[in-house]
Amino acid sequence: MSAPRVRIADIARHDGQIVSIAGWLYNLRRSGKICFPLVRDGSGIIQCVAVKANLPEELFEQLKDLTQESSLIVTGKVRAEARAHGGFELDVESAEILQRVSESDPYPITPKDHGIDFLMDHRHLWLRSKRQVAIMRIRHEVIKAIRDYFDGQGFTLVDTPIFTPAACEGTTTLFEVNYFDEEKLYLAQSGQLYNEANAMALGKVYCFGPTFRAEKSKTRRHLTEFWMVEPEMAYATLEDVKALAEGLVVYCVGRVLENRRPELEALERDVKKLESVQAPFPRMSYDDAVKILQGKGSEITWGGDFGNTDETLLTQEMDRPVIVDRYPSEIKAFYFQPDESNDKLALGVDVIAPEGYGEIIGGGQRIHDPELLLRRLKEHDLPPEAFNWYMDLRKYGSVPHGGFGMGVERFVAWMCGTEHIRECIAYPRMLYRTRP
Ligand code: 4AD
Ligand code: MG
């Protein structure tokens, strides 16, 4: 009878049993008549103990000289070992080596330090490292938490198209696509416009997919392809949007803390900085934020957009994100509802994360008046024909409504404490990076 195949993550349930683990050689230590293959299987890492006296000679020799990332299935007895990482070891009884990585062409990523360009060029292999696995697990948790949050509050997931005929977030960051040589389309910058239609059909909706921006900026916060979740609510005001955004952030941070402690530990993340992320978040207007920034020595003047340094400065003494609203309409997209008391201000809101992670959420209340919307399209030089269907939403039962977008990679970078968001998506696309 062959031993049952188990995952390293579940090993505690098999103490004292003979099991098989299918994985890859992560590392190897040897000392004379014993060798210790460290095996990873994607769910975890376990130290195996191979004793020369207990194994066929040939197998011991094979294991002792096994090369990094060779694939193998090891069978042996699980033994609790307090000193072992993960609390268990496996006493090897047999092993099958599926592929031995050749010494003449060894696995390129060794435990020594490699430069970031080298690692990025080998992203398809780099993903196997402990740190990258931890980041991908946290990303998975964040995505699941986002969906649970919205699903639990009566939102319906409605996916929006990626080939789109019109801009949403300004024409300077559009990726153009030749659509059968007959028509020019753009890759979606946001699902928002379609979300607005969907919200009028279903009340509360969200879309969750890849988003594209031809960002020429080479910063640690910008990708050209990123994932964004965008909720949209009918009969909603700016205040509703702010409350929803705050609730989402608190919930997702809580879920990461609840379910991903080992990963946070592997990343050496200071969890106290996440534990303090509780409601209510401080709230301020753009006007106030500009004054605070000027007081801190920023050169920003009223009407300017916050740069990375401004966002970092603004949250410097804060232990949780800050919610900033009412930005100058001039620096915002065409669709923002103006503030009733000052029509130079847009009812837009950003949530800015602490520790230098910057804007993680942007959104606001949309224009519901058809005349104003048409005027704004013209002011922004957008072709009204492409927005005919969007104008229909203002003709047939128009209501105040709003929503926001949260960038998954920015959120994950904050959770993981990574220097750059490129590590928070499996295959990052940036200004100078399109491979692998
Ligand atoms: O502030 P943005 O541009 O807002 C929108 O797209 C709205 N239409 C969303 C909505 O109201 N439905 O983008 C929203 C968020 C940002 O706060 C940021 O987290 C992320 O998307 N984001 C990026 N993430 C990575 N790389 C980029 N180039 C990003 N641009 C925006
Ligand atoms: Mg924004």
Side-chain angles (χ1 to χ4, degrees):
M1 200 186 76
S2 66
R5 174 86 55 87
V6 305
R7 293 165 72 238
I8 295 170
D10 301 328
I11 208 76
R13 285 196 248 134
H14 301 277
D15 189 19
Q17 296 170 15
I18 294 178
V19 302
S20 287
I21 288 170
W24 296 263
L25 188 76
Y26 195 66
N27 210 338
L28 183 76
R29 278 196 306 121
R30 51 197 124 172
S31 95
K33 296 179 166 37
I34 306 191
C35 74
F36 303 94
L38 218 54
V39 174
R40 60 164 198 92
D41 74 344
S43 82
I45 297 178
I46 192 166
Q47 173 156 293
C48 303
V49 184
V51 181
K52 184 170 183 175
N54 301 344
L55 295 172
E57 170 111 29
E58 197 197 4
L59 178 62
F60 183 79
E61 291 304 314
Q62 276 179 351
L63 283 177
K64 167 172 118 353
D65 291 325
L66 201 58
T67 42
Q68 192 190 346
E69 287 303 314
S70 290
S71 45
L72 77 167
I73 300 174
V74 276
T75 301
K77 195 180 221 170
V78 180
R79 174 170 44 78
E81 168 56 69
R83 287 167 303 173
H85 181 84
F88 294 89
E89 286 184 344
L90 190 89
D91 290 322
V92 179
E93 298 192 350
S94 65
E96 182 193 343
I97 292 154
L98 278 80
Q99 191 203 28
R100 182 176 195 281
V101 173
S102 154
E103 248 116 21
S104 64
D105 190 5
Y107 186 67
I109 303 174
T110 57
K112 71 160 198 207
D113 273 349
H114 296 282
I116 185 69
D117 282 332
F118 179 88
L119 291 170
M120 274 295 163
D121 287 343
H122 294 85
R123 183 64 174 163
H124 52 296
L125 302 176
W126 188 26
L127 283 171
R128 302 182 189 191
S129 77
K130 218 192 264 184
R131 178 183 160 81
Q132 298 308 315
V133 166
I135 295 173
M136 287 305 124
R137 287 239 171 73
I138 289 174
R139 180 186 167 104
H140 172 78
E141 185 72 36
V142 167
I143 290 172
K144 200 154 181 319
I146 288 169
R147 299 192 47 139
D148 288 345
Y149 180 78
F150 289 122
D151 295 351
Q153 299 203 25
F155 283 76
T156 303
L157 173 76
V158 184
D159 293 313
T160 51
I162 287 173
F163 285 135
T164 51
C168 177
E169 295 300 318
T171 49
T172 56
T173 61
L174 284 171
F175 276 115
E176 219 174 78
V177 186
N178 267 340
Y179 198 70
F180 300 121
D181 292 330
E182 275 162 27
E183 193 185 357
K184 290 254 185 294
L185 290 180
Y186 309 105
L187 298 181
Q189 292 173 310
S190 160
Q192 179 195 320
L193 306 184
Y194 297 93
N195 255 351
E196 291 181 48
N198 301 340
M200 300 308 145
L202 291 125
K204 297 202 279 187
V205 296
Y206 66 103
C207 64
F208 199 162
T211 318
F212 304 87
R213 304 266 170 103
E215 302 267 12
K216 288 265 168 65
S217 42
K218 204 179 165 228
T219 80
R220 60 196 189 91
R221 295 177 188 167
H222 287 92
L223 297 167
T224 52
E225 176 179 319
F226 62 97
W227 283 67
M228 177 154 68
V229 61
E230 298 178 82
E232 189 73 27
M233 304 177 283
Y235 286 103
T237 63
L238 179 65
E239 289 310 306
D240 300 321
V241 172
K242 281 151 69 175
L244 187 74
E246 180 182 64
L248 174 69
V249 171
V250 170
Y251 181 78
C252 292
V253 173
R255 280 275 299 267
V256 170
L257 285 168
E258 191 181 318
N259 296 332
R260 295 295 162 198
R261 290 275 171 171
E263 286 79 8
L264 292 170
E265 206 170 294
L267 295 166
E268 295 174 17
R269 182 68 167 111
D270 180 356
V271 290
K272 279 197 237 58
K273 296 238 162 80
L274 300 179
E275 281 163 350
S276 58
V277 180
Q278 302 289 343
F281 295 169
R283 285 157 159 77
M284 63 178 74
S285 64
Y286 169 88
D287 286 20
D288 294 338
V290 169
K291 284 184 200 126
I292 292 172
L293 285 169
Q294 287 170 340
K296 284 172 179 274
S298 164
E299 278 166 15
I300 192 163
T301 52
W302 200 96
D305 212 348
F306 303 144
N308 288 355
T309 359
D310 290 319
E311 290 178 350
T312 305
L313 212 53
L314 195 61
T315 52
Q316 218 167 31
E317 280 106 41
M318 292 181 184
D319 65 351
R320 61 196 79 191
V322 56
I323 300 179
V324 183
D325 71 2
R326 295 180 160 78
Y327 287 76
S329 301
E330 288 268 311
I331 56 168
K332 286 285 174 190
F334 72 93
Y335 52 71
F336 284 99
Q337 174 72 15
D339 190 0
E340 234 174 309
S341 59
N342 178 355
D343 67 7
K344 290 207 160 32
L345 297 179
L347 293 184
V349 59
D350 281 359
V351 178
I352 302 172
E355 297 180 76
Y357 287 95
E359 181 200 324
I360 48 170
I361 287 179
Q365 190 178 324
R366 328 302 187 190
I367 293 173
H368 55 271
D369 175 60
E371 268 129 57
L372 177 58
L373 184 60
L374 200 57
R375 212 159 66 226
R376 281 291 149 82
L377 285 173
K378 286 179 186 152
E379 283 166 14
H380 283 253
D381 267 337
L382 293 164
E385 326 75 74
F387 290 86
N388 279 342
W389 68 268
Y390 187 65
M391 291 299 301
D392 275 353
L393 308 176
R394 276 72 184 170
K395 278 199 255 166
Y396 305 114
S398 191
V399 301
H401 63 285
F404 62 80
M406 180 169 90
V408 167
E409 292 77 16
R410 291 218 188 148
F411 192 89
V412 172
W414 173 38
M415 292 301 98
C416 295
T418 63
E419 176 86 18
H420 195 296
I421 69 171
R422 66 188 155 207
E423 279 184 89
C424 300
I425 184 164
Y427 300 97
R429 298 292 176 248
M430 295 177 290
L431 187 51
Y432 299 115
R433 169 69 55 190
T434 50
R435 294 187 170 78

